[in-house]
Amino acid sequence: MVKYAAALSKESIIDVEGVVSVPKDPIKGASQQVEVQVRKLYCVSKAIPILPINIEDAARSDAEIEKAEQAGEKLVRVNQDTRLNNRFLDLRTPANQAIFRIQCQVGTLFRQFLLSEGCIEIHTPKLMSGSSEGGSAVFKLEYKGQPACLAQSPQFHKQMAICADFGRVFEIGPVFRAEDSFTHRHLCEFVGLDVEMEIKEHYSEVMDVVDRLFVSMFDSINQNCKKELDAIGRQYPFEPLKYLPKTLRLTFEEGIQILKEAGVEVDPLGDLNTETERKLGQLVFEKYGTEFYILHRYPLAVRPFYTMPCYDNPAYSNSFDVFIRGEEIISGAQRVHVPELLAQRAESCGIDVRTISTYIDSFRCGAPTHGGFGVGLERVVMLYCALNNVRKTSLFPRDPQRLAP
Ligand code: AMO
């Protein structure tokens, strides 16, 4: 039996029958308090003798690797491509197990919160006749002889669900972006958490939902996922996210002013780039002590055509982005519900209105004022845990160079 057990390769799956007991004389330094006296042992599935990834190597933190190397220990550094090529093995590390349990929590808490707020869950089509977010970043395909593409967002259909009188809706589903950018935060397929809701008076009602949803989500993860957060922190040490009980809201103009005071000049009617977003995140943290905040009233020119212009100044819009540790996790806005204005906005953004006529027509039969937002699930988990790459929080990532496994 001992010979047979010793010959079993690492990661083989075995069934063991035995007696569990507390040893009278435990082995010094043993991590377990109990032992199993094995009576029967079956090998269910034998792993190949040399695995593409050694799990112990893949589970080490950078500091542990350096220490081991300094001590002259022989180990293999597991690079990202090797990990992702063998994701089913890489996912067995304690940190990865914890990351996807937290991801599951984010989805569950999102759903529970929105159901408790009177939203209904919807499922919109992922096969579309054209782009919903503008731009060229769509995966094209042929749909029974017609040109089609994979949905860049549930934007049009979640709005149509509001026109269909559902009041408040949400969706958790795949979003496809034919990104050319090979960055730490862009995927070609990610999980979108989307919300759309009627607005009574002001788009701040949508930001109120973001505020309550995310503060309760962070509180719950901090309280209930301690084991998972520790497991992630052991491999990828990080500081817990600092956030306020009521989420800070700054207007875009206030954000520009904060940057200006720090000597960073940006176009007041342009967009922020990744670098200025990070810088602003750092300045906001220094000034207000939060790493989670909302920036709203963006310049209209940098927002999608369906965004409602501000009533008092049409150079700005009733829109917002939300940031964790200086990086965007959410975009949202009040939408244009007036078909004539919508068509005019689409045209001014270079969109052929004939390609989106069914969407525009859905506002001709009575459309409530409404707004909503979209969250990237992988980005939330990445930034909450201060991880440096969105591939770490995607189960089987799809990026411009990866379509397998
Ligand atoms: P947006 O395009 O900003 O807005 O996307 C919403 C959120 O989705 C995430 N995200 C991504 N995550 C990984 N890889 C990508 N390539 C990627 N692109 C976006 C981000 C982002 O904040 N229809 C609007 C939302 C709305 O207004 O309701 C939209 O799609 O976290």
Side-chain angles (χ1 to χ4, degrees):
M1 159 91 84
V2 170
K3 221 168 155 188
Y4 176 76
L8 284 170
S9 47
K10 272 190 184 175
E11 298 298 309
S12 292
I13 305 295
I14 56 163
D15 268 357
V16 172
E17 246 181 68
V19 179
V20 180
S21 62
V22 180
K24 278 199 206 94
D25 202 5
I27 302 166
K28 260 201 176 153
S31 56
Q32 305 298 330
Q33 303 299 311
V34 293
E35 62 183 26
V36 181
Q37 287 153 22
V38 179
R39 299 279 183 267
K40 286 182 185 168
L41 186 150
Y42 305 94
C43 180
V44 179
S45 160
K46 205 168 169 184
I48 50 172
I50 300 175
L51 296 167
I53 292 179
N54 178 357
I55 310 287
E56 284 93 58
D57 287 342
R60 293 187 205 230
S61 68
D62 283 349
E64 283 169 343
I65 295 173
E66 268 169 41
K67 207 169 145 198
E69 281 177 343
Q70 276 166 11
E73 198 185 313
K74 254 195 158 182
L75 58 89
V76 180
R77 277 180 186 260
V78 191
N79 70 30
Q80 184 171 268
D81 268 340
T82 310
R83 284 178 190 276
L84 296 182
N85 289 340
N86 300 282
R87 192 62 164 154
F88 42 89
L89 264 183
D90 179 44
L91 289 171
R92 293 182 196 175
T93 62
N96 279 340
Q97 291 284 308
I99 285 171
F100 291 95
R101 282 172 205 282
I102 298 228
Q103 195 190 80
C104 168
Q105 272 304 301
V106 173
T108 305
L109 293 165
F110 179 84
R111 177 178 280 118
Q112 281 171 348
F113 177 89
L114 291 163
L115 289 173
S116 76
E117 291 267 315
C119 296
I120 74 153
E121 182 163 11
I122 57 167
H123 304 281
T124 61
K126 302 305 156 206
L127 288 169
M128 301 266 290
S129 58
S131 151
S132 58
E133 296 298 323
S136 57
V138 289
F139 285 105
K140 295 194 174 130
L141 52 93
E142 198 207 89
Y143 184 78
K144 304 277 178 203
Q146 282 180 56
C149 65
L150 292 176
Q152 275 177 315
S153 69
Q155 186 62 42
F156 290 0
H157 294 97
K158 66 176 180 171
Q159 283 188 255
M160 286 191 231
I162 298 302
C163 293
D165 225 7
F166 285 108
R168 288 179 155 205
V169 298
F170 74 93
E171 175 164 7
I172 302 178
V175 173
F176 303 93
R177 302 275 167 101
E179 298 283 355
D180 280 330
S181 39
F182 193 82
T183 74
H184 75 286
R185 62 191 194 133
H186 288 99
L187 293 166
C188 289
E189 178 178 349
F190 63 92
V191 180
L193 308 177
D194 274 82
V195 174
E196 203 64 26
M197 54 186 264
E198 285 181 14
I199 292 176
K200 298 289 169 237
E201 283 172 14
H202 196 267
Y203 72 101
S204 60
E205 292 158 40
V206 184
M207 296 194 284
D208 291 343
V209 172
V210 170
D211 172 23
R212 286 184 288 111
L213 165 61
F214 277 83
V215 170
S216 69
M217 185 188 283
F218 296 153
D219 286 348
S220 170
I221 292 175
N222 284 344
Q223 272 168 26
N224 304 319
C225 302
K226 287 199 172 72
K227 215 172 70 191
E228 286 77 12
L229 294 170
D230 285 349
I232 298 170
R234 269 195 296 280
Q235 179 161 7
Y236 307 111
F238 70 99
E239 286 294 317
L241 181 75
K242 317 258 183 337
Y243 60 98
L244 303 172
K246 176 119 183 69
T247 306
L248 173 73
R249 287 177 206 180
L250 295 171
T251 62
F252 188 82
E253 279 175 304
E254 285 167 337
I256 297 287
Q257 187 58 31
I258 293 174
L259 283 166
K260 206 172 171 183
E261 282 162 16
V264 185
E265 284 297 335
V266 288
D267 177 358
L269 291 179
D271 210 352
L272 299 178
N273 60 28
T274 313
E275 204 185 316
T276 41
E277 281 177 353
R278 280 226 178 100
K279 181 75 191 161
L280 185 58
Q282 187 193 327
L283 295 167
V284 166
F285 180 53
E286 285 162 14
K287 197 164 174 184
Y288 300 97
T290 180
E291 294 172 298
F292 177 69
Y293 76 100
I294 302 176
L295 194 63
H296 67 111
R297 241 179 109 90
Y298 267 70
L300 183 65
V302 303
R303 304 302 286 199
F305 75 95
Y306 49 76
T307 311
M308 182 64 95
C310 284
Y311 300 117
D312 60 338
N313 183 352
Y316 291 94
S317 60
N318 288 354
S319 66
F320 60 90
D321 275 0
V322 184
F323 296 88
I324 293 187
R325 305 187 205 262
E327 292 195 44
E328 179 205 316
I329 57 148
I330 304 178
S331 272
Q334 181 182 349
R335 325 297 187 184
V336 177
H337 62 281
V338 183
E340 296 74 24
L341 177 59
L342 193 57
Q344 189 191 321
R345 289 272 302 130
E347 257 164 25
S348 69
C349 290
I351 296 165
D352 181 352
V353 286
R354 284 170 306 182
T355 61
I356 54 167
S357 60
T358 51
Y359 166 64
I360 296 179
D361 287 348
S362 66
F363 300 98
R364 296 192 199 281
C365 304
T369 44
H370 65 288
F373 59 92
V375 188
L377 175 63
E378 294 83 353
R379 281 206 198 166
V380 173
V381 181
M382 166 178 88
L383 292 161
Y384 184 76
C385 299
L387 296 166
N388 60 1
N389 199 309
V390 74
R391 289 161 189 78
K392 287 197 170 93
T393 55
S394 172
L395 198 64
F396 291 100
R398 294 289 178 257
D399 69 28
Q401 290 168 3
R402 181 170 291 281
L403 189 56

